[in-house]
Amino acid sequence: MSITVGAQLKKDIKEINKKIFFVKEMIEAGLYLVATPIGNLDDITLRALNILKNSKLILCENTLNSKKLLNKYEIKTSLDKYTDHDFEKKKDKILNLIKTNSVVSLISDSGSPLISDPGIQLVHFLLKNKVKIISIPGPSAMILGIQLSGFLNKKKFTFIGFLPKKHDQKVNSLKEQLHNNLIIYTTKEQIPKDVSAIREISNNFEIIILKELTKMHEERIILNSKNIKEFVFDSLKGELILCVSAEINTQLQKDIDKKETLELIEKVGIKKAYQEVKTKYKISRNDFYKLAMELKND
């Protein structure tokens, strides 16, 4: 019964595709940041389809990739490649289009625009020129990473995006944020190096690898100090997400100035004191609270 209903629903959606769109005049001119599917092309909102169909131009990272989505939903809007390298060359054309009452959309290859994808220069430029920017929400690999990490701790989540390519820069970036749970974007080529950087500064870690998100072969892989040596990274491909919960090695932490810390605690309280020193000393919330209790009892 459920299969029949699902099949019928999919058929109905396909048949009414052309009826769900509003007329172009009802859409305000501006730049629309439209979220697109991460892998499964069914993960697109009706609002996103409406905007894309009625845009004068769609800016995208890769026209061949974006055509797959447009062809599926019979969207005939013109595509134009846009990356940060194209900003100076194309900014005035885009501004003029919008100023003449046109709708322009910006999409990335997958997910929500500007999340480790091109566009921030363009948005800044258009905002300075009093152009309306509208976000059309939808899929985001970052949010899926938070949802599927499964971490049971009180740490906050920090979105890193892609780590630098050089090893020392990877390590330094991780050191600054390892007191939080991390969401990291990575690739088949970079993931062994990213994991190596994590292992260099932490002996106590849990790494969740998310691959093929929203696709048929979606997988959640758990790495820790017990199984990391046996894992074969060659089995991974495409863009991947790392969810990281780790404790920085004690010897890598800066020595805490206990007198200064106690004075700060007495002045602003434990909670605010932690916010001020957590990055400086790379200390977790739990460890800081234990230290605060010890200092108060001394």
Side-chain angles (χ1 to χ4, degrees):
M1 177 64 74
S2 60
I3 295 176
T4 304
V5 171
Q8 183 62 45
L9 179 60
K10 192 167 185 179
K11 180 181 178 183
D12 289 345
I13 291 174
K14 185 175 181 181
E15 288 177 353
I16 65 171
N17 266 345
K18 298 177 183 178
K19 300 177 184 178
I20 63 175
F21 301 112
F22 300 105
V23 295
K24 186 174 181 179
E25 286 74 20
M26 294 178 66
I27 303 175
E28 187 177 0
L31 179 72
Y32 286 75
L33 309 175
V34 182
T36 55
I38 294 169
N40 190 324
L41 293 183
D42 288 340
D43 293 335
I44 184 84
T45 68
L46 297 182
R47 187 181 178 205
L49 291 173
N50 183 46
I51 296 299
L52 293 176
K53 187 175 182 70
N54 290 300
S55 294
K56 180 73 173 179
L57 179 68
I58 298 174
L59 304 170
C60 63
E61 293 180 81
N62 185 307
T63 56
L64 292 177
N65 181 71
S66 295
K67 278 180 181 177
K68 297 174 185 176
L69 176 67
L70 269 59
N71 289 341
K72 176 179 174 66
Y73 291 102
E74 300 179 18
I75 297 172
K76 306 300 182 183
T77 306
S78 297
L79 283 168
D80 190 17
K81 183 180 79 71
Y82 180 85
T83 68
D84 288 333
H85 299 294
D86 300 309
F87 171 67
E88 290 295 339
K89 181 172 60 176
K90 298 185 178 181
K91 64 179 182 178
D92 291 327
K93 172 189 173 184
I94 296 167
L95 176 61
N96 291 334
L97 269 177
I98 298 172
K99 288 291 188 181
T100 54
N101 208 34
S102 292
V103 172
V104 176
S105 290
L106 174 69
I107 62 176
S108 58
D109 279 346
S110 62
S112 297
L114 276 72
I115 310 299
S116 291
D117 289 319
I120 191 63
Q121 284 179 289
L122 179 61
V123 167
H124 181 72
F125 169 72
L126 293 178
L127 286 173
K128 284 179 65 177
N129 283 276
K130 311 300 181 184
V131 169
K132 186 155 189 176
I133 309 293
I134 304 97
S135 177
I136 309 299
S140 169
M142 173 184 66
I143 293 175
L144 267 68
I146 294 172
Q147 292 173 326
L148 299 176
S149 66
F151 296 147
L152 186 62
N153 58 49
K154 295 183 179 180
K155 294 181 181 181
K156 294 182 179 179
F157 277 89
T158 294
F159 174 64
I160 299 294
F162 291 96
L163 286 169
K165 291 189 176 180
K166 293 184 178 179
H167 180 76
D168 289 347
Q169 293 177 350
K170 287 183 191 290
V171 169
N172 289 334
S173 295
L174 289 165
K175 278 182 181 178
E176 292 175 358
Q177 297 294 343
L178 215 58
H179 53 280
N180 291 325
N181 296 319
L182 307 181
I183 303 296
I184 300 170
Y185 288 173
T186 188
T187 63
K188 175 182 178 180
E189 293 74 25
Q190 288 298 316
I191 190 170
K193 302 172 186 177
D194 292 344
V195 172
S196 174
I198 295 167
R199 294 179 66 192
E200 182 173 317
I201 58 177
S202 177
N203 295 323
N204 181 21
F205 60 84
E206 183 177 16
I207 302 172
I208 308 297
I209 301 174
L210 301 176
K211 56 176 287 193
E212 303 289 344
L213 282 176
T214 75
K215 298 179 182 178
M216 183 179 297
H217 300 294
E218 178 176 316
E219 190 173 358
R220 181 179 184 274
I221 302 166
I222 302 174
L223 294 184
N224 51 44
S225 57
K226 296 179 180 179
N227 66 2
I228 187 71
K229 292 181 180 179
E230 288 75 37
F231 186 74
V232 180
F233 287 97
D234 290 344
S235 63
L236 302 173
K237 62 180 181 179
E239 291 192 357
L240 307 151
I241 297 176
L242 295 181
C243 311
V244 181
S245 178
E247 299 296 333
I248 195 166
N249 292 340
T250 305
Q251 62 268 30
L252 294 175
Q253 295 179 348
K254 290 183 179 180
D255 291 333
I256 295 177
D257 186 324
K258 293 184 179 180
K259 181 180 178 182
E260 179 184 283
T261 301
L262 180 58
E263 290 175 352
L264 182 62
I265 291 170
E266 291 175 342
K267 181 180 179 182
V268 301
I270 296 177
K271 187 175 181 180
K272 288 185 178 179
Y274 173 68
Q275 295 301 320
E276 291 190 29
V277 305
K278 64 180 181 181
T279 301
K280 179 180 179 181
Y281 294 124
K282 311 296 184 299
I283 188 170
S284 70
R285 183 186 300 274
N286 288 340
D287 288 343
F288 182 79
Y289 275 54
K290 289 178 184 177
L291 174 64
M293 292 300 103
E294 291 172 4
L295 293 175
K296 284 190 170 186
N297 293 329
D298 284 346

